[in-house]
Amino acid sequence: MPTPRTLRTRARILDAALDLFERQGYSATTVNQIADAAGVTPMTFFRHFPTKDAVLVTDPYDPLIADAVGAQPADLPPLERVRLGLLSALGDITPTEDATARRRVALVAQSPSLRAAVSVGTEATQEAIVERLVADGVDRLDAAIAASACLAATTAALLAWGSAPGDITLAHLVRRALAQLAPAGATS
Amino acid sequence: MPTPRTLRTRARILDAALDLFERQGYSATTVNQIADAAGVTPMTFFRHFPTKDAVLVTDPYDPLIADAVGAQPADLPPLERVRLGLLSALGDITPTEDATARRRVALVAQSPSLRAAVSVGTEATQEAIVERLVADGVDRLDAAIAASACLAATTAALLAWGSAPGDITLAHLVRRALAQLAPAGATS
DNA sequence: GCTTGAAATGTTAGTCACTAACAATCGTGC
DNA sequence: GCACGATTGTTAGTGACTAACATTTCAAGC
């Protein structure tokens, strides 16, 4: 349970960072600049965000995803289980689909090092999916292949959403991405 | 055309780095240690390798891959074109399948920051594939989804190869990875 | 053998992300 | 007003990387 003061400081840092990133680019702005703009010491920045990229990339690991994968029929091939699981976990609800989220995604899509941070953050989700499938007797490599392919497609949709027209919903792009991985002729 | 002296120095740095990485781990060994062990200045290290991770992660971009994708029948869905293209480019030839390559892959598989470097390196290949498909009239997002999914599966196979039994060939694992993305019931 | 000239390396000094240890301050409960 | 914990500041340092300039190596020509 974070203190109100903590939340205020964190919000100030986040605002200052987003502003500077959009004005001069991610790699061109230093943590010192962000701290200055937020009226804070660089040290305080790192107390609220473990790394510079954590301002934009929050680890999206959600145990619900692994659960949703595990809930799919066990007799399906691994890829199809992961695909349907992701679809049921992400294809519907769209958590924080506000303008700020979109600004962040757009920034991430522009920087190679930020995209790398996203792929690191996704590894936790992949790992959780793999463990779930392995527990059901699926070969570990097959599980890793299925999970990484589906998550890569989902990430591609997420990054595209950052610069997509405003009326296009993230859930729509995710469904479109996963539809491409469907067995030939499938309609769902 | 690199000078013989350049090649010798580069090889010394590479040997020293591999040795230290395997003995004390990647993140625990500094560039200074590598330079010392190679009888060289840290500055010289960076003249031969742009970054610390470049010792292990060489950008595998090969224009042949994009060509192979473009050579597949244009009436196939994007995912299938990319899949068959990768299969024809990687499923057969196995360039440098020596013990050193395997040691490097095994090291990469252990470090999150190195895996991130791999994913950055793969982006060039993905970009090339996407451009090829877009030139054929494929939607850019569909192309990105297909390319990233196939490359993620291939990368999963590559990382698994690093710790696989010695008699398992990389080409075999790649074929297995891409087979999982095949339309239901396909045999090739 | 000696010189010349370019390629390769060394030197120095710096920036930036990030960390550890300890001191100062803020704010809430009493 | 006072104590106490949570938050922030200070200082000093490490490690990856860069830029500018000086120095060394080494092969080719005389």
Side-chain angles (χ1 to χ4, degrees):
Chain A
M1 43 212 69
T3 256
R5 194 160 120 228
T6 300
L7 292 179
R8 274 205 313 272
T9 308
R10 189 191 154 90
R12 284 222 316 276
I13 294 175
L14 212 155
D15 285 347
L18 278 187
D19 188 45
L20 287 171
F21 288 163
E22 285 181 339
R23 291 222 314 266
Q24 28 176 307
Y26 173 77
S27 60
T29 95
T30 72
V31 171
N32 282 28
Q33 290 176 345
I34 300 172
D36 278 356
V40 129
T41 285
M43 185 75 238
T44 297
F45 173 92
F46 286 111
R47 281 200 262 251
H48 287 267
F49 300 94
T51 60
K52 182 184 170 188
D53 41 36
V55 176
L56 292 172
V57 179
T58 18
D59 195 340
Y61 167 59
D62 185 350
L64 293 181
I65 293 180
D67 286 347
V69 170
Q72 305 306 312
D75 56 345
L76 291 176
L79 184 80
E80 192 59 6
R81 282 186 79 184
V82 176
R83 193 181 75 86
L84 294 176
L86 281 180
L87 216 43
S88 94
L90 303 176
D92 228 6
I93 62 166
T94 52
T96 55
E97 191 145 350
D98 54 358
T100 304
R102 211 160 186 146
R103 280 166 66 199
R104 278 153 65 150
V105 170
L107 279 170
V108 169
Q110 281 169 12
S111 158
S113 71
L114 286 175
R115 290 192 300 266
V118 167
S119 101
V120 170
T122 307
E123 283 185 1
T125 305
Q126 174 175 341
E127 203 47 41
I129 295 175
V130 167
E131 291 308 324
R132 189 56 133 269
L133 291 178
V134 166
D136 277 3
V138 176
D139 176 87
R140 180 162 238 109
L141 175 55
D142 288 338
I145 290 165
S148 64
C150 287
L151 289 174
T154 305
T155 300
L158 173 67
L159 294 181
W161 177 66
S163 54
D167 56 341
I168 295 191
T169 164
L170 175 56
H172 174 256
L173 292 183
V174 169
R175 280 195 300 269
R176 186 165 146 198
L178 292 172
Q180 265 202 74
L181 297 183
T187 52
S188 67
Chain B
M1 41 212 70
T3 258
R5 194 161 120 227
T6 300
L7 293 179
R8 274 203 314 271
T9 308
R10 188 191 155 91
R12 284 221 316 276
I13 294 175
L14 212 156
D15 285 347
L18 278 186
D19 188 45
L20 287 171
F21 289 162
E22 286 181 338
R23 291 221 314 266
Q24 28 176 304
Y26 172 77
S27 59
T29 95
T30 72
V31 171
N32 282 30
Q33 290 175 347
I34 300 172
D36 278 356
V40 130
T41 286
M43 185 75 238
T44 296
F45 174 93
F46 287 111
R47 281 200 262 253
H48 287 267
F49 300 94
T51 59
K52 181 184 170 188
D53 42 37
V55 175
L56 291 172
V57 179
T58 17
D59 195 342
Y61 167 59
D62 185 348
L64 292 181
I65 294 180
D67 285 347
V69 170
Q72 305 306 312
D75 55 346
L76 291 176
L79 183 81
E80 192 58 6
R81 281 187 79 185
V82 176
R83 193 180 76 85
L84 294 176
L86 282 180
L87 218 41
S88 94
L90 303 177
D92 228 7
I93 61 166
T94 53
T96 54
E97 191 146 349
D98 53 1
T100 304
R102 211 161 188 147
R103 280 165 66 198
R104 277 153 67 151
V105 170
L107 280 171
V108 169
Q110 283 171 9
S111 158
S113 70
L114 286 174
R115 290 193 300 266
V118 168
S119 101
V120 169
T122 308
E123 283 185 2
T125 305
Q126 174 174 342
E127 203 47 43
I129 294 176
V130 167
E131 290 308 324
R132 189 55 135 269
L133 291 177
V134 166
D136 277 3
V138 176
D139 176 86
R140 181 162 237 108
L141 175 56
D142 288 338
I145 291 165
S148 63
C150 287
L151 288 174
T154 306
T155 301
L158 174 68
L159 294 181
W161 177 66
S163 53
D167 56 341
I168 295 192
T169 164
L170 174 56
H172 174 256
L173 291 183
V174 168
R175 281 196 299 269
R176 183 164 147 200
L178 291 173
Q180 264 202 75
L181 298 183
T187 51
S188 67

